[in-house]
Structures are given as structure tokens and as C-alpha cells.
Amino acid sequence: MKKILLTAIAVYAVIVIAGATAYFLLRDPPAAPPARHEVATSTAKSSGEVPDTKSGEAAKAPTSSAQEKQTADAIITGMKVENRGGITLYTYDYPKKPAPGVYLRPFLVTDGVAWALKFDLYYYYNISDPQKTAWIHGDSINVNVGGKTYNLRFLAHDRRDKMSPDAENLAESYVHDATEDELSVLRALAQAGSGSITYYQQEGGAQRSHEFTSEEITRIRNVLTLYDYETKDDAEAAGTAGAKGEAAL
């Protein structure tokens, strides 16, 4: 009798435990495993790497930068590069005795860190030139681009005059860091693809005009392209600083 009673109690206990287990399993089912993409994100975060959700945009930047460098390298290949005591000049191989006329020949100078765009106005005259302009000692130029005239003036003491020993030819030139106005004129020429220039003296009336050739325009455009590429970081930094200053105000 005692044995039967113990057996009944054991069976009852098993039934109670089984019922309780079923109750809790039905009330709180096990959590489903996270979806595959959630696991990937979680793993990436724990490793310090975030999946690239803008792979298309990210791929554009290096490609654009590589193209800009390729363009800059191609421009330099066609230029005349001179090293002068730690300073490097990027210009073109212009003839020492060009056809008589006035020329605009910007070039670049760098010390390996900073870059400067030089504005080079050059007037050349030969005694056999039928126009017989000789010395002009100009202090102004007019550049005509697309129906618009840009006027630039210079200081007389910035002009450099040179004459050959036999007086067969002479030259006048202005070379200095390009001003904002001069840079604007160069950009207008590069964009328009054509234009003309007149070099003259305001009081004396002597002058010399010249129509830009396609080669001259191309060279001006190349110098500007190289300048913009080499100073790109400086321009972006200046833009960022300016934006922060405006925000502070």
C-alpha cells in the first residue's frame, strides 16, 4: 500500500512539472535569431567597420581625383619646367624672337609648397616690323572677350625694358603675381576660346594690338587648369574657414 502511494505521488509530480513547463513555453516562446543583415551590421560595428551604403559615391571621388592628376601630368609634360635655386617654373618654350606684337603668357612658380600664378605681359618689336611702333612704354591693356572689354593698368616702375646691342629689336614686359582682376581676365579668355589684346600708353597714344591664337588660348587654359589643381586644397580650406566664420557671426 505504501509503495502504491509513493508511485502515485511521483506520477502526480511529473504531471505537474510537465504542465508548468508547457505553460511557460507557450507564454514566452524563445526569441527568433536576428535577421542575416542585422547580424552583419552588428558584427561590423563590433569590429569598427561600417558597411558602405554609398559605394557608388565613394567610388567617384578617387576616380575624379585620379583624372585630375592625369590631366595635370599631361599638361606638365607639354610645358617647359625650370629649376632656379629651389624655385620651379612651369611655363612654355616661347621663342626668343617672336613675331612683333604683344603677348599674354601666364606661368606658374612654386617652392614645392606654395604656388603662385604669374601674369606675364610681353611686347616685342623688331626694326623690320612695318608697323614701326618701336617703344610704347605702355601702362595699360584692353582685353576684348566676347564683346566685353577688360581694362588693366600697370605701374611704370614695374615695367622692364630691354634692347639688343645692335638696336635691331627691343622688348617691354610686366611680370608679377596675378591680381584678382587679371585672373578674371585669364579665366574669361580660357572660357571664351578667343579674344584680342591692345597694349598702349594712356598719354602717348602709341599702341599695339594682337588677336589671340588658338594655341595661346590653350596654353592660358592649361596654366589655369594646373594652377587650380595644385591650389585645390588651399581653396577648399579657405572655403571651409569662411563658412565657419559666417556661422560664428
Side-chain angles (χ1 to χ4, degrees), residues 51-67:
D52 183 10
T53 57
K54 299 181 180 180
S55 58
E57 295 180 8
K60 291 179 182 178
T63 300
S64 176
S65 178
Q67 290 176 343

Side-chain angles (χ1 to χ4, degrees), residues 84-127:
R84 300 180 182 177
I87 301 297
T88 304
L89 282 69
Y90 291 84
T91 182
Y92 282 94
D93 193 9
Y94 296 105
K96 293 182 178 180
K97 295 182 178 182
V102 57
Y103 302 93
L104 201 51
R105 309 185 300 192
F107 62 95
L108 298 177
V109 175
T110 179
D111 58 0
V113 179
W115 288 75
L117 175 64
K118 294 289 186 177
F119 188 87
D120 181 5
L121 175 68
Y122 185 74
Y123 164 66
Y124 180 81
Y125 170 80
N126 186 286
I127 196 170

Side-chain angles (χ1 to χ4, degrees), residues 130-183:
Q131 291 196 33
K132 303 299 180 183
T133 49
W135 292 111
I136 292 180
H137 292 155
D139 52 17
S140 300
I141 62 171
N142 287 338
V143 180
N144 298 305
V145 184
K148 183 177 181 179
T149 299
Y150 297 85
N151 176 256
L152 300 173
R153 296 186 178 184
F154 309 99
L155 298 176
H157 64 73
D158 289 337
R159 190 186 68 247
R160 296 293 177 267
D161 298 335
K162 183 178 180 181
M163 177 183 285
S164 63
D166 58 5
E168 286 287 327
N169 53 73
L170 57 85
E172 301 175 22
S173 64
Y174 288 91
V175 180
H176 53 257
D177 288 350
T179 65
E180 288 298 324
D181 288 341
E182 291 165 352
L183 182 57

